[in-house]
């Protein structure tokens, strides 16, 4: 009603005041009009009662991201209650990412106003460099309330993965890690297994379009028995071949794991020996609901016996619930 509209106007006045203060403190020239775009964006979100800010393209600049981070740190949750910020296809820059991690991510829960803390950060195709991952790792090490981290389409590679692993192994809050097409190799796969899956409380790890290969899958598989929280593992399209013992190690890991519900191995080569091992193993995994592989190089009947879609019964156990989003 009318009261809400008035409230937003009052709150926006405070947003503008704080932004003017931060811009002055940072010594930014007023004629750059950094505040204009940010105020309009925050105003639109607040008027529509949205708790998520989404940016894409060339605005805000790196400087604008720094201003936004500092403003929201001061105003949340008393004035603004954003809990998610998404940057898509834009340059965030090292200083921008540093300020996001230093000011936004530590914003904690506030029970009085039912604010959950800053819980979602998406940086998709933002040219995040391996060295910039240190800012994220530093924040994760302090166990910020972040629950979902998306770094898809950033070439962080094994170096960035190593840095992230150092932060994530001490973190107990992050639940979903999205790392599609990040140029992660076997060594990065090792970090994901040994540090993230083994040490953290992660629930979903999604790595499609990397190159963890057999070595990376093996490291992940060896740690499946050490996690009780992991429910989803996506290693599709990771140049995993049928040579070596990766699939048999995976089968051993699946047998001892009690939490996994969804595994995606599509667009990798499993081979007939691998498919036979999976046919033997999957009926023993009562927690698994969905299991996906590609049919390449596997006879059709064997392929049908291996895949699980969450509906059909398998080895006498009940069909699973539908996949949760």
């Amino acid at each position: 009603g009318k009261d809400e509209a008035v409230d937003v106007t009052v709150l926006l006045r405070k947003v503008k005041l704080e932004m003017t203060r931060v811009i002055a403190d940072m010594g930014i020239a007023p004629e750059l009009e950094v505040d204009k775009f940010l105020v309009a964006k925050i105003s639109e979100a607040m008027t529509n009662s949205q708790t998520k800010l989404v940016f894409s393209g060339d605005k805000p600049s790196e400087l604008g991201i720094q201003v936004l981070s500092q403003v929201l740190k001061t105003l949340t949750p008393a004035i603004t209650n954003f809990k998610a910020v998404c940057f898509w296809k834009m340059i965030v820059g090292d200083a921008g990412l540093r300020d996001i991690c230093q000011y936004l991510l530590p914003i904690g829960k506030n029970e009085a106003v039912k604010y959950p803390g800053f819980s979602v950060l998406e940086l998709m195709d933002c040219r995040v460099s391996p060295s910039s991952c240190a800012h994220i790792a530093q924040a994760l090490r302090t166990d910020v309330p972040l629950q979902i981290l998306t770094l898809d389409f950033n070439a962080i590679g094994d170096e960035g993965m190593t840095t992230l692993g150092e932060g994530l192994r001490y973190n107990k809050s992050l639940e979903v890690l999205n790392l599609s097409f990040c140029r992660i190799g076997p060594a990065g796969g090792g970090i994901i297994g040994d540090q993230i899956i083994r040490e953290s409380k992660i629930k979903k790890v999604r790595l499609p379009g990397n190159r963890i290969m057999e070595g990376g899958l093996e490291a992940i598989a060896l740690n499946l028995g050490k996690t009780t929280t992991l429910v989803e593992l996506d290693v599709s399209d990771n140049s995993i071949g049928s040579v070596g013992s990766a699939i048999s190690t995976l089968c051993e890991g699946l047998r001892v794991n009690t939490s996994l519900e969804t595994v995606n191995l599509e667009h990798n080569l499993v081979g007939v020996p691998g498919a036979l091992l999976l046919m033997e193993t999957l009926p023993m995994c009562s927690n698994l609901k969905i299991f996906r592989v590609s049919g390449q190089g596997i006879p059709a009947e064997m392929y049908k016996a291996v895949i699980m879609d969450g509906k059909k019964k398998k080895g006498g156990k009940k069909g699973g619930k539908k996949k949760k989003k």
Side-chain angles (χ1 to χ4, degrees):
K2 268 189 177 174
D3 290 349
E4 280 176 32
V6 171
D7 280 351
V8 170
T9 312
V10 172
L11 297 175
L12 275 170
R13 205 171 296 142
K14 293 183 179 174
V15 170
K16 284 177 191 169
L17 278 170
E18 181 57 22
M19 205 165 288
T20 307
R21 189 191 68 76
V22 169
I23 286 169
D25 281 0
M26 287 178 73
I28 299 167
E31 54 268 26
L32 285 176
E33 295 192 326
V34 170
D35 53 339
K36 213 171 177 181
F37 171 76
L38 291 174
V39 168
K41 199 79 181 167
I42 290 170
S43 169
E44 182 193 1
M46 287 174 75
T47 307
N48 296 315
S49 306
Q50 290 164 343
T51 56
K52 179 172 166 178
L53 283 171
V54 179
F55 301 101
S56 63
D58 56 356
K59 279 184 176 178
S61 61
E62 182 171 8
L63 207 52
I65 291 168
Q66 290 182 263
V67 171
L68 175 75
S69 303
Q70 294 188 38
V71 166
L72 292 183
K73 175 193 186 275
T74 309
L75 300 182
T76 309
I79 310 297
T80 54
N81 65 343
F82 298 112
K83 54 188 178 188
V85 67
C86 311
F87 299 98
W88 299 339
K89 267 183 118 68
M90 61 188 293
I91 298 168
V92 169
D94 189 70
L97 186 54
R98 181 199 65 215
D99 283 7
I100 289 166
C101 295
Q102 199 176 318
Y103 299 118
L104 278 187
L105 296 191
I107 299 172
K109 289 180 183 173
N110 185 318
E111 302 294 346
V113 289
K114 297 192 169 111
Y115 178 75
F118 206 86
S119 48
V120 180
L121 176 62
E122 286 186 16
L123 296 156
M124 285 174 72
D125 197 3
C126 287
R127 302 195 200 175
V128 175
S129 67
S131 59
S132 289
C133 288
H135 302 308
I136 303 173
Q138 183 59 44
L140 291 170
R141 197 178 285 121
T142 58
D143 213 25
V144 291
L146 194 68
Q147 292 177 0
I148 301 172
L149 175 62
T150 299
L151 289 170
D152 299 346
F153 302 101
N154 292 292
I156 63 167
D158 290 345
E159 186 193 332
M161 203 57 246
T162 303
T163 306
L164 279 180
E166 285 163 11
L168 259 174
R169 63 177 305 169
Y170 300 108
N171 183 284
K172 301 293 177 239
S173 303
L174 196 76
E175 297 181 359
V176 181
L177 183 60
N178 294 314
L179 296 164
S180 304
F181 299 92
C182 287
R183 298 195 189 167
I184 298 165
I191 298 289
I192 289 161
D194 296 338
Q195 299 203 12
I196 298 172
I197 290 175
R198 183 182 185 136
E199 303 288 347
S200 76
K201 296 274 183 267
I202 203 86
K203 291 183 179 178
K204 298 180 181 184
V205 174
R206 298 171 180 147
L207 309 167
N210 287 289
R211 278 179 65 82
I212 67 165
M213 306 174 81
E214 294 85 61
L217 179 62
E218 210 154 329
I220 288 170
L222 285 168
N223 287 291
L224 291 180
K226 312 272 181 8
T227 173
T228 55
T229 55
L230 191 70
V231 292
E232 182 183 331
L233 176 66
D234 186 345
V235 287
S236 57
D237 190 15
N238 259 284
S239 303
I240 297 162
S242 53
V243 292
S245 57
I247 299 296
S248 73
T249 309
L250 175 66
C251 287
E252 284 165 28
L254 291 174
R255 281 190 205 121
V256 292
N257 174 279
T258 55
S259 59
L260 265 173
E261 294 176 12
T262 302
V263 176
N264 191 345
L265 254 180
E266 284 178 320
H267 312 298
N268 296 299
L269 281 174
V270 168
V272 171
L276 285 167
L277 282 169
L278 287 166
M279 282 170 71
E280 197 182 295
T281 302
L282 295 179
M284 303 178 199
C285 308
S286 58
N287 41 292
L288 262 183
K289 317 274 193 281
I290 293 167
F291 192 89
R292 297 193 177 108
V293 292
S294 289
Q296 199 181 342
I298 307 173
E301 319 77 69
M302 209 176 258
Y303 170 69
K304 278 181 196 159
V306 170
I307 57 161
M308 299 166 68
D309 60 8
K311 295 176 194 135
K312 63 184 178 187
K313 293 188 177 184
K314 186 119 193 138
K317 74 174 190 341
K318 289 174 189 168
K321 288 177 221 153
K322 281 193 176 171
K323 184 183 170 189
K324 283 183 216 149
K325 284 201 173 169

